[in-house]
Amino acid sequence: MLRTALREVSTALKEGQVSPTELCQRCLSLIKATKFLNAYITVTEDTALRQAEESEKRYRRGQSLGDLDGIPVAVKDNFSTTGIETTCASNMLKGYIPPYSATVVQKLLDQGAVLIGKTNLDEFAMGSGSTDGIFGPVRNPWSYSKQYREKCGQNSHLENEDSSWLITGGSSGGSAAAVSSFTCFAALGSDTGGSTRNPAAHCGVVGLKPTYGLVSRHGLIPLVNSMDVPGILTRCVDDAATVLGVLAGHDPKDSTTVQDPFNPFKLPSVIDVSKLCIGIPKEYHIPGLSSETLAVWSKAADLFENAGARVIEVSLPHTCYSIVCYHVLCTAEVASNMARFDGLEYGHRSNMDKSTESMYAATRREGFNDVVRGRILSGNYFLLKQNYEKYFIKAQKVRRLIANDFVNVFSSGVDVLLTPTTLRDAVPYVEFIKEDNRTRSAQDDIFTQAANMSGLPAVSIPTALSEKGLPIGLQFVGRAFQELQLLTVAKWFEKQAKFPILQLQEMLDHADALSHQKISLSS
Amino acid sequence: MTGLALSCSINKKSLFDRKHYFYADLPAGYQITQQRLPIAVNGNLSYTLYVGAKQSQMVTKNVRIKQIQLEQDSGKSLHNDARSQTFIDLNRAGVGLMEVVMEPDMCCGEEAAAAVRELQLILQTLGSSQAIMAEGQLRVDANVSVRHPGEPYGVRTEVKNINSLRFLARAVDYEIQRQIEELENGGTILNETRAFDYKLGCTIPMRDKEGKQDYRFMPEPNLPPLILYDAKSLPANIDDQQVVNIDWIQERLPDLPSVKRARLVEQYGILPEHSFTLLNEDGLMELFEDVVRKTQMNPKKVIGWVISELLGHLKQYDLTVKESPVNSVSLADLLNLLERGVISSSAAKQVLEELWKGEGKTPLQIVKEKRLELIQNQRELDQICQAVMEGHQEEVMEIKAGNKKVLNKLIGLVQRATQRRADPILVKQILEKKLSQ
């Protein structure tokens, strides 16, 4: 039941085949069983069960609120949730309980969704591995999958994998792992440079980044205001469309959301791609791209061509400048957004009280990790009067050039772009941490950040398994506000790809057995 | 509205920026303001002041408005130096406010106060703000510098903590003096911020703001450019409620103080100084116009009563027009009695004193109680005059001999005899007639 799509569960709930409380309890049990993944920072067991009960009452009265009523969902811990601790995986906000909920969270709750927990992330969403938060790294569920273990010839003793488990990607790793391991049906992530799509690809789930301005950012603790969007993680494209339908639309509390009315849509079941033009950006064919991912990408292009679509090579000439440009603009906005954490009104406050300045300095040193502090320092440097013109303004101009690359391509007849999401499949944690956060982010964001720079919608679809038995995802980038077209193409592709379901059961049974062993030993 | 009232050019597109600095009363660590492109620029404010030896001559002056910008307020800091503590009140943090920046076109405390007073009246008329300085609704920072005539502007200091027009004038004048003395003694002026100490009447350097700060200005990413429209640029299918139409606002601007003053002078024939006073006191203009409506007395005479008598009393007892124990109805009734010749001018003043006690009596009641009615009976007056003349033959002789001044004595005696209930003009007429017989 936990592996089904949202639509099917919803029907099951309506028909009384399963109750919201049952569903909720099963998810909660699975969360406990998969605790070693470290996907959740807070599991909201009591409130979830209460919400499930409310949902059950509604179903009994025949008054369900919609497709999401009674459905367990998880939310990345950088979205404010009323009465529920919101930490951003940082010491700065440890123990912080927001007095309000993010608009997108409220929309989910208003539809009757059951909030099962807050998921783990890189501290303040800075990172591409979900390894740099104070609650520790998130483990990719595929590390324990039958598919991976068979391919790697690993024996299934718990002891051995402590050193070889894989990262989820980031920064929304917790959400991706939660959806991937069936503990919830949908999760909210955030996407500033690829933070939803990257872990989606590594965890074998669908990761949607909506057009900037379509979904409200109110309550999403900001990283880069001009690039952040709430991201949607689900196990299939239809589910992503359902959740988007609930979340999208103008929010008076977020002046950057567009005023145009949004009409929720249902994706067609019969899709014809023969009239489409798919663009393959040649600049994305880079040396660092793994041969496997390249092969998967080529195969996908062939798939479309064989179905009658026009598949052409396109150029996004300013791609090579995007990492540097992103770095300048991102750190500048980060420096600005992090200025509010001074320990005075909420969050961590240092005991240093010799003066306000010294209290601020100590609080911020104690509250932020090196990654955050590094970005603040860089950002402030770029914003200094003498540097503003050289760095910030220049970067803004380059950003416009990058965005224009896409405008040009889309106005020349291309409907959708097809690119890899990541350079390769997930790597083991011990390998990942050999390079620092900044280096990794620069490497891993290469295919995803341009969509944030240009504000365009993009989605990562799990496509195939690598030789190691790990997920490889491909990315589709669409025209602004054309999520319907984007997701329709993605849905067609998903059907063709037939990506396998994660086989976690063996591991869970083993974990179960082992925990029983431990119990019997201690008694 | 304020931009239009101050004859500014309204920027149809204006931008928001973040100004970064750390301070306990700034919870976000930055203030949203309009540094690059404010909402209004290049305006003008005309104001009046009294000059001359007797402060009797009215002069109109101008101060250019550099710009008006929208920005966020910070919280309020309350320092407790004794305990090395600061209390922070965040209630007003983030609230929108408007900063009006004037050019250095004023030359002394009086001009500064007059200019700000006029701005206050304009803001109150528009409804943009109640602009009460004591309540922090209007905050004024004065930038002061001195120079020899013909030289470029000197180094300026910024004076803060001014919370009334009177203190503004004092602070500015003190600072001017201080700078002149400093320079004449060979010193230099620092580009610093100083606080006005109203108890000591001087400015002192402020501890907290040291050195020049780099505010690391950055465009505010959460607020798109502010777009205003006029009738020409208004897009076709847009909901009226969603846009700001400058022309629409311009058409609906209320009469500004200068316009109101001109109207009062024209409509009622009063002097410009009078209209100035009427507008300067909250509610006085309304009272005046109300009295004029309710009485037959010439407005030119009413104004004297309103300003000299009523306002004089209010000032004496430190009351506002709203708190006046005498309202327009009572005053109008009183003036009508005067106009109809029921009482004399001096009697009217007496009645006003009584009314001031606020015992709820009407003017007519007071007149009856105190028996202040003028003697209307011609024959009665005649008899009294006759009696006085008969009783003072010496004086009569002197008058007939040519000493006209003595007539006043006789008039005075008649007044005494009638307990001041005789119209002196009438009395004079009667006496003169008799004396010439």
Side-chain angles (χ1 to χ4, degrees):
Chain A
M1 175 59 66
L2 294 183
R3 284 174 218 173
T4 51
L6 223 151
R7 200 75 65 74
E8 286 151 46
V9 178
S10 195
T11 311
L13 286 168
K14 285 198 191 85
E15 291 174 1
Q17 286 168 25
V18 66
S19 76
T21 337
E22 262 181 80
L23 200 58
C24 181
Q25 275 163 347
R26 279 199 224 170
C27 286
L28 288 169
S29 306
L30 190 54
I31 292 175
K32 286 198 184 96
T34 53
K35 210 156 171 215
F36 55 87
L37 293 176
N38 202 17
Y40 288 85
I41 294 177
T42 305
V43 180
T44 50
E45 185 162 336
D46 293 334
T47 47
L49 286 169
R50 232 182 300 132
Q51 285 165 1
E53 258 178 63
E54 292 296 312
S55 171
E56 201 157 306
K57 288 193 197 134
R58 286 192 293 269
Y59 274 109
R60 273 195 239 129
R61 289 199 302 262
Q63 289 170 351
S64 92
L65 293 168
D67 285 336
L68 289 181
D69 203 338
I71 305 288
V73 297
V75 168
K76 187 174 179 183
D77 208 19
N78 60 353
F79 285 90
S80 291
T81 41
T82 315
I84 300 170
E85 190 184 13
T86 300
T87 66
C88 294
S90 174
N91 273 319
M92 191 56 94
L93 288 179
K94 206 157 170 207
Y96 167 65
I97 312 243
Y100 68 99
S101 281
T103 299
V104 289
V105 170
Q106 194 56 52
K107 283 189 171 186
L108 290 175
L109 295 175
D110 288 344
Q111 286 291 307
V114 171
L115 178 59
I116 206 119
K118 306 296 291 297
T119 58
N120 204 350
L121 58 153
D122 282 302
E123 183 163 337
F124 279 110
M126 298 186 202
S128 60
S130 302
T131 52
D132 286 330
I134 58 164
F135 298 102
V138 185
R139 299 188 183 194
N140 193 326
W142 286 84
S143 316
Y144 307 97
S145 68
K146 189 165 177 210
Q147 289 102 328
Y148 176 60
R149 319 209 117 250
E150 277 178 356
K151 287 297 176 79
C152 291
Q154 300 237 331
N155 46 23
S156 27
H157 285 312
L158 266 167
E159 291 81 5
N160 285 0
E161 352 94 25
D162 255 47
S163 52
S164 65
W165 55 268
L166 311 154
I167 57 158
T168 52
S171 59
S172 312
S175 284
V179 173
S180 170
S181 61
F182 312 106
T183 58
C184 62
F185 288 88
L188 288 184
S190 66
D191 196 312
T192 305
S195 291
T196 291
R197 294 161 284 156
N198 175 300
H202 284 316
C203 294
V205 296
V206 172
L208 170 64
K209 173 211 168 293
T211 312
Y212 182 87
L214 183 63
V215 181
S216 171
R217 288 181 298 112
H218 174 77
L220 167 60
I221 295 172
L223 182 61
V224 182
N225 292 293
S226 66
M227 297 188 207
D228 290 350
V229 292
I232 300 171
L233 293 137
T234 55
R235 289 196 285 276
C236 67
V237 177
D238 270 331
D239 290 355
T242 306
V243 177
L244 182 68
V246 167
L247 300 183
H250 175 65
D251 183 12
K253 293 189 196 147
D254 179 353
S255 299
T256 58
T257 54
V258 293
Q259 308 254 5
D260 302 356
F262 172 78
N263 299 314
F265 49 79
K266 213 160 126 170
L267 298 174
S269 34
V270 177
I271 302 166
D272 171 23
V273 298
S274 60
K275 301 201 179 52
L276 282 175
C277 177
I278 310 289
I280 309 285
K282 67 178 186 199
E283 288 85 2
Y284 282 35
H285 194 137
I286 55 174
L289 184 61
S290 78
S291 50
E292 283 186 306
T293 310
L294 177 59
V296 171
W297 189 17
S298 302
K299 242 178 103 177
D302 293 338
L303 209 66
F304 277 101
E305 216 164 31
N306 295 338
R310 201 160 66 99
V311 179
I312 58 170
E313 191 187 71
V314 296
S315 176
L316 299 170
H318 296 92
T319 303
C320 54
Y321 306 114
S322 66
I323 293 276
V324 176
C325 177
Y326 175 77
H327 179 76
V328 172
L329 295 178
C330 174
T331 53
E333 287 207 41
V334 162
S336 176
N337 289 327
M338 295 294 139
R340 70 195 61 187
F341 298 109
D342 53 21
L344 212 52
E345 305 88 0
Y346 48 81
H348 172 67
R349 188 201 277 216
S350 167
N351 288 327
M352 167 70 70
D353 61 357
K354 267 201 291 218
S355 71
T356 319
E357 273 83 29
S358 64
M359 191 273 279
Y360 279 13
T363 298
R364 289 162 73 80
R365 190 183 1 98
E366 292 163 17
F368 292 137
N369 71 6
D370 283 352
V371 179
V372 178
R373 279 164 41 222
R375 293 202 195 183
I376 293 173
L377 286 169
S378 305
N380 277 325
Y381 176 78
F382 296 134
L383 289 178
L384 288 175
K385 220 163 160 175
Q386 68 256 32
N387 293 329
Y388 185 72
E389 199 68 36
K390 271 193 293 190
Y391 291 98
F392 190 84
I393 296 285
K394 268 276 152 62
Q396 291 279 43
K397 292 181 178 174
V398 173
R399 182 178 178 177
R400 174 151 310 279
L401 291 176
I402 293 171
N404 279 344
D405 280 355
F406 286 93
V407 171
N408 292 335
V409 162
F410 282 124
S411 57
S412 70
V414 173
D415 296 304
V416 157
L417 295 172
L418 171 62
T419 80
T421 310
T422 56
L423 290 167
R424 59 179 168 197
D425 56 6
V427 297
Y429 175 73
V430 292
E431 206 192 296
F432 184 78
I433 54 172
K434 285 190 188 147
E435 300 274 13
D436 65 51
N437 183 297
R438 189 171 154 224
T439 311
R440 285 293 182 208
S441 299
Q443 291 166 346
D444 300 336
D445 286 348
I446 185 83
F447 299 127
T448 48
Q449 63 171 231
N452 299 89
M453 299 276 260
S454 56
L456 297 174
V459 64
S460 177
I461 307 292
T463 309
L465 290 181
S466 67
E467 267 170 29
K468 292 207 210 88
L470 296 173
I472 292 180
L474 288 180
Q475 172 180 243
F476 293 92
V477 182
R479 288 198 184 90
F481 302 103
Q482 299 303 316
E483 274 80 355
L484 173 53
Q485 183 182 57
L486 177 69
L487 291 176
T488 303
V489 175
K491 181 173 173 176
W492 180 87
F493 181 72
E494 176 188 61
K495 262 211 255 192
Q496 311 305 314
K498 297 198 193 49
F499 184 79
I501 296 182
L502 166 64
Q503 285 171 2
L504 204 56
Q505 198 52 47
E506 202 190 79
M507 191 68 254
L508 291 176
D509 291 340
H510 197 89
D512 229 15
L514 222 70
S515 66
H516 282 146
Q517 250 180 27
K518 287 202 171 121
I519 291 168
S520 59
L521 278 171
S522 59
S523 59
Chain B
M1 278 200 300
T2 308
L4 291 171
L6 294 176
S7 313
C8 294
S9 305
I10 307 292
N11 283 325
K12 295 227 264 293
K13 175 169 154 179
S14 60
L15 307 169
F16 291 99
D17 304 288
R18 290 188 182 179
K19 178 179 178 183
H20 298 91
Y21 63 94
F22 283 100
Y23 202 65
D25 64 14
L26 197 64
Y30 59 83
Q31 176 198 33
I32 300 180
T33 177
Q34 291 190 303
Q35 190 243 7
R36 283 172 293 158
L37 199 57
I39 190 170
V41 291
N42 296 337
N44 187 73
L45 171 66
S46 294
Y47 61 98
T48 331
L49 38 126
Y50 287 108
V51 292
K54 291 192 206 152
Q55 295 281 294
S56 54
Q57 220 196 335
M58 259 180 58
V59 194
T60 305
K61 293 228 157 199
N62 270 315
V63 58
R64 291 165 297 158
I65 303 291
K66 176 157 187 253
Q67 67 188 51
I68 300 179
Q69 72 215 35
L70 292 169
E71 52 184 45
Q72 281 182 314
D73 207 349
S74 63
K76 208 160 33 164
S77 303
L78 299 146
H79 298 290
N80 183 338
D81 290 321
R83 284 168 157 190
S84 299
Q85 276 182 344
T86 304
F87 297 104
I88 310 289
D89 179 349
L90 289 176
N91 276 307
R92 65 175 206 205
V95 171
L97 53 77
M98 176 173 66
E99 179 166 317
V100 178
V101 184
M102 299 180 182
E103 299 281 14
D105 294 343
M106 296 156 286
C107 72
C108 60
E110 199 190 350
E111 286 190 6
V116 173
R117 175 64 184 141
E118 185 67 9
L119 178 64
Q120 238 180 353
L121 290 173
I122 293 175
L123 293 171
Q124 286 166 354
T125 305
L126 293 172
S128 298
S129 168
Q130 291 307 298
I132 300 174
M133 282 178 79
E135 298 188 11
Q137 295 166 348
L138 172 66
R139 288 172 237 161
V140 182
D141 295 333
N143 290 285
V144 183
S145 71
V146 297
R147 59 177 170 157
H148 286 118
E151 277 178 6
Y153 286 117
V155 175
R156 67 176 165 92
T157 61
E158 185 182 14
V159 182
K160 287 174 142 5
N161 195 37
I162 297 167
N163 48 28
S164 77
L165 290 173
R166 241 184 22 202
F167 289 150
L168 171 60
R170 262 201 243 160
V172 167
D173 288 335
Y174 172 85
E175 183 60 17
I176 291 173
Q177 239 354 86
R178 184 192 76 83
Q179 290 193 10
I180 291 176
E181 274 168 25
E182 183 70 34
L183 290 170
E184 282 179 349
N185 288 337
T188 51
I189 307 297
L190 296 170
N191 176 215
E192 59 176 349
T193 306
R194 298 174 74 89
F196 179 63
D197 183 324
Y198 61 89
K199 292 200 193 106
L200 299 174
C202 64
T203 64
I204 45 175
M206 279 176 83
R207 290 170 295 121
D208 301 332
K209 315 249 173 128
E210 307 137 26
K212 285 210 117 182
Q213 286 228 37
D214 188 335
Y215 291 112
R216 290 164 281 127
F217 284 100
M218 180 184 97
E220 168 57 64
N222 286 326
L223 293 175
L226 180 64
I227 311 285
L228 305 174
Y229 300 94
D230 55 23
K232 260 193 290 186
S233 64
L234 201 61
N237 327 323
I238 221 146
D239 185 2
D240 259 342
Q241 297 300 309
Q242 297 282 14
V243 294
V244 173
N245 183 340
I246 302 172
D247 288 339
W248 190 87
I249 295 177
Q250 175 90 67
E251 283 160 29
R252 279 156 188 74
L253 280 183
D255 279 344
L256 295 181
S258 51
V259 172
K260 281 193 203 166
R261 285 188 209 112
R263 180 184 64 80
L264 288 169
V265 168
E266 228 225 271
Q267 191 175 347
Y268 301 110
I270 57 177
L271 295 174
E273 298 95 274
H274 294 155
S275 72
F276 193 63
T277 308
L278 283 181
L279 251 68
N280 227 36
E281 299 300 325
D282 224 1
L284 195 61
M285 180 187 81
E286 288 76 10
L287 186 142
F288 168 72
E289 291 195 284
D290 210 26
V291 170
V292 166
R293 267 193 293 272
K294 293 186 164 75
T295 176
Q296 299 96 33
M297 184 181 278
N298 188 318
K300 288 194 213 174
K301 280 169 80 178
V302 174
I303 194 75
W305 280 91
V306 168
I307 291 183
S308 309
E309 295 302 322
L310 185 74
L311 187 62
H313 274 83
L314 287 172
K315 291 292 177 201
Q316 198 184 343
Y317 293 96
D318 200 19
L319 296 169
T320 63
V321 173
K322 284 196 185 71
E323 294 163 337
S324 174
V326 178
N327 61 17
S328 55
V329 175
S330 304
L331 187 57
D333 282 348
L334 177 60
L335 295 182
N336 279 335
L337 291 174
L338 179 58
E339 190 70 3
R340 291 198 329 253
V342 174
I343 51 173
S344 70
S345 168
S346 56
K349 287 187 191 167
Q350 264 184 277
V351 175
L352 186 60
E353 285 298 333
E354 275 303 309
L355 283 173
W356 203 262
K357 290 187 191 155
E359 286 165 2
K361 299 184 197 147
T362 67
L364 194 56
Q365 283 171 334
I366 297 173
V367 165
K368 290 243 154 73
E369 261 175 43
K370 303 237 166 198
R371 304 181 81 231
L372 295 169
E373 311 94 316
L374 290 173
I375 298 173
Q376 302 286 6
N377 191 323
Q378 187 85 355
R379 222 167 26 128
E380 197 186 331
L381 264 181
D382 204 275
Q383 281 173 350
I384 297 173
C385 288
Q386 188 68 33
V388 165
M389 277 176 67
E390 282 167 15
H392 295 87
Q393 291 294 325
E394 243 185 66
E395 284 82 353
V396 172
M397 293 299 192
E398 279 184 53
I399 295 167
K400 286 195 178 163
N403 193 347
K404 300 287 177 185
K405 278 195 228 159
V406 183
L407 184 57
N408 290 330
K409 187 172 176 193
L410 284 184
I411 296 172
L413 288 167
V414 173
Q415 289 285 51
R416 247 214 316 201
T418 59
Q419 290 151 309
R420 306 207 125 254
R421 289 168 60 218
D423 183 354
I425 298 168
L426 203 52
V427 167
K428 190 171 177 202
Q429 275 177 353
I430 296 171
L431 286 174
E432 280 177 344
K433 194 168 167 200
K434 288 191 187 291
L435 288 164
S436 62
Q437 283 167 348

